[in-house]
Amino acid sequence: DTAVSQTPKYLVTQMGNDKSIKCEQNLGHDTMYWYKQDSKKFLKIMFSYNNKELIINETVPNRFSPKSPDKAHLNLHINSLELGDSAVYFCASSQGGSGSGNTIYFGEGSWLTVV
Amino acid sequence: GNSVTQMEGPVTLSEEAFLTINCTYTATGYPSLFWYVQYPGEGLQLLLKATKADDKGSNKGFEATYRKETTSFHLEKGSVQVSDSAVYFCALSERGGSNYKLTFGKGTLLTVNP
């Protein structure tokens, strides 16, 4: 069983469209994340949720809206897609925060291409 | 703020060569330190971690020691294999405001040739 699964894995869409990426974890963790990896492989946190509560919103444009219906799910909705949104988006989860040394488990990524 | 600086790649080695990837950090407190690995087309996997000074993390022949005096967490392996070819990321996280995020270095691409 995949611990952190996200769908779709590949997404090609036109500028201006709205799209969603779904994420589910079956590890029983209380914390979930979205990270963005750009074309140079640089990884940056977008959002962190702990027990469905938004903890970190790292200066992400408000076109990006995360939603956590329960502790096992964290979906990412993106409005009015722009070319610069093309990237790989990783969902992740952990039990407690990583500052305490807890391991963050990553999904396989969703490759978004905006044309 | 927190930051991680790691050796720029790409790094190309022959099989059985010794590997070092340097990583230094800036943090306001006492962070936990991590190395993650990303194989081609895949997500990130934890390679090893250390949560306090002088701790040594190890896994799959890789090692890194948390050096508070030099704010470093260099990754080493005595004899690399072709299967170690991947991108390696050094990262840190702190209790408090940064407890719920990893700050990553820019990644180092390692290619091991047979």
Side-chain angles (χ1 to χ4, degrees):
Chain A
D1 278 349
T2 304
V4 182
S5 57
Q6 48 183 115
T7 55
K9 183 160 185 176
Y10 300 100
L11 183 56
V12 181
T13 188
Q14 290 188 326
M15 280 175 52
N17 283 352
D18 303 338
K19 290 294 177 186
S20 292
I21 306 172
K22 295 186 176 182
C23 178
E24 176 181 7
Q25 55 95 2
N26 63 5
L27 297 167
H29 289 165
D30 61 4
T31 305
M32 295 187 73
Y33 313 81
W34 280 107
Y35 281 81
K36 179 180 179 180
Q37 185 174 45
D38 64 21
S39 58
K40 295 184 179 179
K41 298 285 192 183
F42 185 62
L43 279 153
K44 189 170 169 56
I45 183 75
M46 300 175 69
F47 302 104
S48 297
Y49 273 73
N50 177 253
N51 287 312
K52 303 195 301 173
E53 181 182 345
L54 180 65
I55 302 294
I56 289 179
N57 178 344
E58 197 82 341
T59 60
V60 177
N62 58 16
R63 298 183 296 103
F64 290 79
S65 52
K67 283 190 172 51
S68 182
D70 55 57
K71 287 198 297 185
H73 296 84
L74 180 61
N75 304 322
L76 183 65
H77 187 76
I78 316 170
N79 289 327
S80 303
L81 278 155
E82 300 177 356
L83 293 177
D85 298 331
S86 296
V88 184
Y89 293 85
F90 287 101
C91 180
S93 73
S94 65
Q95 180 58 32
S98 50
S100 306
N102 298 310
T103 300
I104 295 183
Y105 294 83
F106 285 82
E108 294 192 341
S110 294
W111 271 252
L112 172 66
T113 303
V114 182
V115 297
Chain B
N2 296 342
S3 66
V4 175
T5 303
Q6 66 180 98
M7 177 174 149
E8 296 223 4
V11 174
T12 302
L13 296 173
S14 297
E15 207 163 22
E16 299 184 2
F18 184 85
L19 168 71
T20 299
I21 301 178
N22 289 338
C23 172
T24 57
Y25 67 89
T26 301
T28 52
Y30 301 95
S32 294
L33 301 173
F34 304 82
W35 277 100
Y36 277 82
V37 58
Q38 184 177 27
Y39 298 103
E42 297 184 11
L44 282 81
Q45 303 173 25
L46 177 70
L47 183 58
L48 52 83
K49 64 181 178 182
T51 59
K52 61 183 188 297
D54 300 325
D55 268 2
K56 177 186 281 189
S58 60
N59 186 25
K60 299 181 181 179
F62 290 89
E63 294 183 340
T65 300
Y66 188 142
R67 300 285 187 204
K68 187 170 180 297
E69 63 275 14
T70 54
T71 61
S72 65
F73 193 53
H74 304 320
L75 183 68
E76 296 182 337
K77 186 174 185 182
S79 175
V80 293
Q81 306 300 312
V82 172
S83 57
D84 294 327
S85 298
V87 181
Y88 292 81
F89 293 92
C90 185
L92 72 79
S93 186
E94 275 192 288
R95 290 182 176 82
S98 300
N99 190 26
Y100 292 98
K101 71 175 185 181
L102 283 170
T103 298
F104 284 94
K106 291 187 176 180
T108 302
L109 173 62
L110 170 66
T111 302
V112 180
N113 294 319

